[in-house]
Amino acid sequence: MAETQHPMITTAEGFQYSVNIAFDLHDENKLKNFIPTQSSLRLLEDILLSTRPESTSRSRILIGAYGKGKSHIILTILALLAGREKNAFANLNKKLETEPRLRQLVDNYRESQTKLLPVVISGSNTSLTQAFILSLQRTLSLHGLLDIMPETNYKAAVQVIETWRQEYPQTYRNLQEHLGQPVASFVAALNNYDIEAYRTFEQLHPQLTSGSSFNPFLGFDVVELYENVVAEIQKKGYNGIYVVYDEFSKYLEANITQASVSDTKMLQDFAEKCNRSENQQLHLMLISHKEIGNYIDRLPKQKVDGWRGISERFQHVLLNNNFSQTYEIIATVIQKEGSQWQRFTNSKRPSFESLTALYKGHPIFSEMEERSRIQNLYDCYPLHPVSTFILPRLSERIAQNERTLFTFLSASGTTTLPGFLQESQKSHGQQEFMLVTPDLIYDYFEPLLKKEAYSESHHNQYILTSRILEKLESSHELDRKIVKTISLIYLLEQYEKLKPTKEEIIHIFQNDYGHEEITAALDRLEQQELVLYLRKSNSFLKLKETVGVDIHEQIHTTKEKLRKTTMTKDILTECNVNRYLYPSRYNDEKEMTRYFSFQFINAKEVQADTNWAVKSEGIQADGIVYAILPSSEEELE
């Protein structure tokens, strides 16, 4: 495992790169670096059970936010299902020693010599059909099995010509003229996989069909194609195929509004075929950041029903938000050299004990047992406990492939953990007790906060923080750190665990700065009106934007503006909850249902020549009752 050199603490670089299942399937380092969590072990167990012939649960959607390691989990499971040798799974093997039931399942799978061929689909392909066929073709080619892949493009060309012969005789005659040879002999060449014949067809197709280019994948039954291939690869030592659509959410984001009914039906049919595939195993796993339901709210009803139908045919697997497991991963990435680390913790016992006293009972780790909290504090050093709390949660909210908690912990750069370790080694050697405070995490994720693609509240918080930082002198480094930390607390919005209070800020920075220095910085920020101290609201600190306007003048102007443009009748209509009247007695007597609309109008609208039919023609009711608002005695008369 490649490592960042540091005498006492190293970070495992293998975690810094995001996993691309299609490219990394044979990368030994990726398999070796996999850190099993309880949720990933449960998923492995579930999938191994689904490889039994009697299983009827072989289609899944794996749902989890960025930075949850979805692709890494699936990469490892696929490698195991494909029959990779046991010693390729170093970390997994170690973890299985403590999981006897799962270890037995893994051993049974290996002993049965079951082997599934992984087919990985990725990207935001516009056609699902095309994506499924191309990925299958690519996989079979990679494994030297292309001879069993039906030559779909040649067959598709033959099918199109046959359709022209039966349904479009003029197009068929035009083809005959362009070819200069009998169509039958041209079709025979296509059936013999003649590449020149196929190229001729591709060139002629636009001329014969008013410019439309030939798509060999239209009209193909993908499910049948996969079924045939599964039957054939069983002769080559495979028990079936495991299809994974990596980053399926990208497809949904790019294409869900344009996706054809045939595409959604194909996905539905494929899932059903997987669940009924028995000995000729076919599995499908879609990997998404959110549930399908989160992408379909703007679709017409027919398409919504189609996607709901798809969703119902899949088993939904949620990678849960158990942050205790994430802390284990963080601790695994931050590696300590045994003897030096032991000497360091002994020599810095007062510092560790002081930190433990502050955070062993703190709400940020309330879901953990006390012993685990203390162990976590040591394991995740040099991260400050509040940084350990913030990092996975912020990563889950805003991370993207290029910046996640893994890249913060492993990648080189001035705002990463390795950069911090390098700098502290240069400045203080290894004997200083140094902590990574939350401001460094803010600096690392700032480029993502800058993007407007995220929720408006996140972006607004970033804009406010940036403006305040611009006003601060660079010499006041602590002031800047405090502002960034308060900003992160508001971005997370987990105030029951982490409050933006003076006391919290003092605890975060007291290892590097004295109590008086931190208090002076907070007072300075308050005096400059950059931070508000909300004494009436839990004594919270809040970043303040100075707008540079007279508030009272602004209120007066707005009142005058509303007085001129807002009418009393509109306000009353808006406030009225009973906008319809229901004549109960009349409806009972006549055995019918009638209701009347109810509106406020000004007395000026009631004139001798008012055309009430025209005035009421937009009303969606059986009639209308007007409530007239007079503004004088004359109008009342």
Side-chain angles (χ1 to χ4, degrees):
M1 188 184 289
E3 293 175 344
T4 305
Q5 291 307 307
H6 186 274
M8 184 175 68
I9 301 174
T10 57
T11 61
E13 283 184 356
F15 297 98
Q16 80 179 71
Y17 306 107
S18 60
V19 170
N20 182 308
I21 300 175
F23 297 136
D24 297 332
L25 209 44
H26 304 285
D27 186 327
E28 286 185 15
N29 276 333
K30 287 291 190 318
L31 290 181
K32 202 195 304 178
N33 286 337
F34 172 64
I35 302 171
T37 60
Q38 283 306 310
S39 52
S40 62
L41 294 176
R42 296 292 72 83
L43 178 61
L44 170 60
E45 181 181 354
D46 187 38
I47 287 174
L48 284 172
L49 289 171
S50 77
T51 63
R52 292 176 171 180
E54 68 273 16
S55 173
T56 55
S57 176
R58 289 179 176 169
S59 50
R60 292 172 178 77
I61 300 179
L62 180 63
I63 301 145
Y66 274 110
K68 280 286 176 191
K70 299 182 298 297
S71 297
H72 210 163
I73 292 165
I74 297 304
L75 175 81
T76 306
I77 292 173
L78 285 182
L80 196 149
L81 294 175
R84 288 288 289 277
E85 60 284 357
K86 187 176 179 177
N87 61 10
F89 305 89
N91 283 336
L92 179 61
N93 292 339
K94 208 180 297 177
K95 190 73 176 177
L96 287 176
E97 294 304 314
T98 62
E99 299 274 342
R101 184 170 179 271
L102 181 55
R103 186 182 67 197
Q104 190 61 56
L105 264 179
V106 172
D107 290 345
N108 291 350
Y109 181 83
R110 287 192 173 120
E111 285 162 20
S112 70
Q113 296 188 313
T114 305
K115 202 161 79 162
L116 297 178
L117 181 70
V119 172
V120 182
I121 304 166
S122 55
S124 55
N125 309 274
T126 48
S127 162
L128 278 179
T129 303
Q130 191 166 351
F132 271 72
I133 293 177
L134 282 174
S135 299
L136 180 61
Q137 208 164 17
R138 201 163 37 236
T139 303
L140 293 174
S141 174
L142 195 68
H143 290 82
L145 300 167
L146 204 51
D147 57 315
I148 64 172
M149 174 76 177
E151 294 288 346
T152 52
N153 43 0
Y154 293 94
K155 285 192 174 182
V158 171
Q159 279 181 6
V160 168
I161 293 170
E162 181 57 25
T163 303
W164 289 346
R165 188 181 72 77
Q166 291 181 16
E167 298 176 29
Y168 305 99
Q170 186 56 52
T171 309
Y172 187 78
R173 283 193 292 275
N174 292 345
L175 172 67
Q176 171 80 63
E177 286 170 23
H178 280 89
L179 286 173
Q181 61 168 304
V183 176
S185 57
F186 181 68
V187 166
L190 286 172
N191 279 324
N192 288 322
Y193 311 129
D194 185 315
I195 186 70
E196 287 305 319
Y198 182 72
R199 281 179 183 153
T200 301
F201 181 78
E202 274 193 315
Q203 287 164 3
L204 289 176
H205 190 275
Q207 298 173 42
L208 300 168
T209 56
S210 309
S212 69
S213 57
F214 174 57
N215 181 350
F217 303 116
L218 279 177
F220 248 88
D221 189 331
V222 175
V223 181
E224 192 182 315
L225 175 68
Y226 268 82
E227 213 176 356
N228 293 339
V229 170
V230 167
E232 289 299 316
I233 64 169
Q234 290 196 319
K235 300 168 191 172
K236 310 273 185 177
Y238 289 94
N239 298 74
I241 286 175
Y242 205 111
V243 183
V244 170
Y245 200 132
D246 195 14
E247 302 219 43
F248 182 66
S249 41
K250 282 192 175 173
Y251 165 81
L252 292 174
E253 284 160 8
N255 305 299
I256 195 160
T257 51
Q258 288 86 34
S260 66
V261 174
S262 62
D263 264 355
T264 53
K265 180 157 187 343
M266 184 276 285
L267 209 51
Q268 211 164 307
D269 293 347
F270 203 101
E272 282 180 6
K273 176 56 70 180
C274 289
N275 295 337
R276 296 200 308 264
S277 57
E278 296 178 349
N279 283 314
Q280 295 198 333
Q281 294 197 35
L282 191 54
H283 299 253
L284 176 59
M285 167 81 77
L286 309 177
I287 302 179
S288 180
H289 302 310
K290 293 183 285 191
E291 288 273 14
I292 286 178
N294 290 12
Y295 296 95
I296 62 176
D297 52 354
R298 289 189 299 276
L299 293 178
K301 187 180 183 305
Q302 182 197 3
K303 286 193 172 183
V304 166
D305 292 344
W307 282 104
R308 285 215 176 108
I310 289 170
S311 184
E312 285 161 12
R313 279 160 181 78
F314 286 83
Q315 181 187 335
H316 293 238
V317 182
L318 292 162
L319 275 190
N320 63 27
N321 293 345
N322 188 335
F323 288 106
S324 302
Q325 292 175 26
T326 313
Y327 302 148
E328 282 178 45
I329 294 175
I330 292 171
T332 308
V333 178
I334 304 172
Q335 299 171 337
K336 320 264 190 337
E337 197 283 315
S339 56
Q340 289 188 73
W341 174 242
Q342 189 63 54
R343 285 196 297 274
F344 179 77
T345 53
N346 288 337
S347 67
K348 298 296 174 189
R349 182 168 283 128
S351 298
F352 277 107
E353 285 177 353
S354 168
L355 203 60
T356 302
L358 277 176
Y359 288 100
K360 71 176 179 182
H362 197 289
I364 57 174
F365 301 127
S366 58
E367 74 275 13
M368 299 168 74
E369 293 174 9
E370 187 175 310
R371 191 202 288 173
S372 302
R373 297 179 199 184
I374 297 167
Q375 189 58 49
N376 180 53
L377 191 141
Y378 280 84
D379 289 347
C380 295
Y381 177 87
L383 294 185
H384 187 286
V386 172
S387 298
T388 305
F389 173 81
I390 286 174
L391 179 59
R393 288 164 175 82
L394 186 69
S395 179
E396 187 174 273
R397 282 203 163 197
I398 68 166
Q400 287 222 326
N401 278 343
E402 73 275 12
R403 279 175 196 260
T404 65
L405 72 91
F406 297 111
T407 53
F408 174 79
L409 294 170
S410 303
S412 55
T414 54
T415 59
T416 62
L417 177 60
F420 173 87
L421 291 171
Q422 216 170 4
E423 194 54 44
S424 60
Q425 170 67 12
K426 256 191 260 173
S427 312
H428 308 284
Q430 62 181 6
Q431 298 311 314
E432 286 298 314
F433 185 83
M434 305 285 290
L435 291 171
V436 174
T437 45
D439 51 281
L440 189 72
I441 296 172
Y442 180 92
D443 290 340
Y444 182 70
F445 284 103
E446 187 190 25
L448 295 187
L449 290 167
K450 217 178 256 186
K451 294 179 183 177
E452 284 192 61
Y454 296 105
S455 78
E456 199 178 334
S457 61
H458 287 171
H459 190 64
N460 290 346
Q461 183 66 31
Y462 163 75
I463 295 291
L464 172 58
T465 310
S466 301
R467 285 179 183 159
I468 291 172
L469 291 172
E470 281 169 17
K471 291 171 185 171
L472 288 172
E473 294 175 31
S474 54
S475 58
H476 287 152
E477 187 189 13
L478 177 56
D479 302 31
R480 301 175 70 81
K481 288 183 173 191
I482 289 171
V483 166
K484 291 171 188 176
T485 303
I486 294 171
S487 182
L488 284 182
I489 294 171
Y490 277 97
L491 279 169
L492 288 191
E493 299 177 304
Q494 298 203 7
Y495 308 121
E496 73 288 355
K497 287 180 177 283
L498 185 62
K499 296 179 171 70
T501 60
K502 282 190 175 183
E503 185 185 32
E504 200 72 70
I505 296 297
I506 289 166
H507 289 166
I508 290 169
F509 292 103
Q510 69 182 32
N511 182 67
D512 300 326
Y513 300 90
H515 190 286
E516 286 179 11
E517 202 178 347
I518 302 166
T519 307
L522 285 166
D523 290 344
R524 210 163 34 241
L525 288 166
E526 199 178 349
Q527 284 158 16
Q528 292 173 45
E529 294 192 337
L530 300 175
V531 168
L532 278 172
Y533 185 36
L534 306 173
R535 290 169 180 81
K536 290 180 184 175
S537 176
N538 304 319
S539 300
F540 276 18
L541 297 163
K542 188 167 173 59
L543 301 183
K544 183 191 175 191
E545 184 167 15
T546 47
V547 290
V549 296
D550 183 333
I551 294 294
H552 295 292
E553 179 60 34
Q554 195 79 4
I555 291 170
H556 179 72
T557 307
T558 306
K559 273 166 66 179
E560 289 305 313
K561 192 174 168 187
L562 287 172
R563 188 174 284 137
K564 288 171 187 170
T565 58
T566 307
M567 300 180 82
T568 311
K569 66 167 189 172
D570 297 332
I571 296 169
L572 288 169
T573 299
E574 191 64 36
C575 296
N576 179 26
V577 288
N578 300 313
R579 296 202 191 168
Y580 293 95
L581 296 175
Y582 183 77
S584 307
R585 189 188 298 169
Y586 181 89
N587 287 353
D588 284 346
E589 287 172 2
K590 303 286 184 183
E591 295 181 348
M592 64 191 337
T593 301
R594 284 204 162 177
Y595 63 95
F596 301 94
S597 181
F598 185 92
Q599 272 188 20
F600 290 92
I601 60 170
N602 290 325
K604 288 189 179 71
E605 296 173 66
V606 183
Q607 302 292 334
D609 58 349
T610 300
N611 187 330
W612 296 101
V614 171
K615 190 173 182 66
S616 309
E617 64 185 357
I619 302 300
Q620 299 295 313
D622 299 298
I624 181 163
V625 173
Y626 287 110
I628 303 166
L629 300 170
S631 56
S632 65
E633 287 292 333
E634 290 79 6
E635 283 187 351
L636 190 56
E637 285 295 319

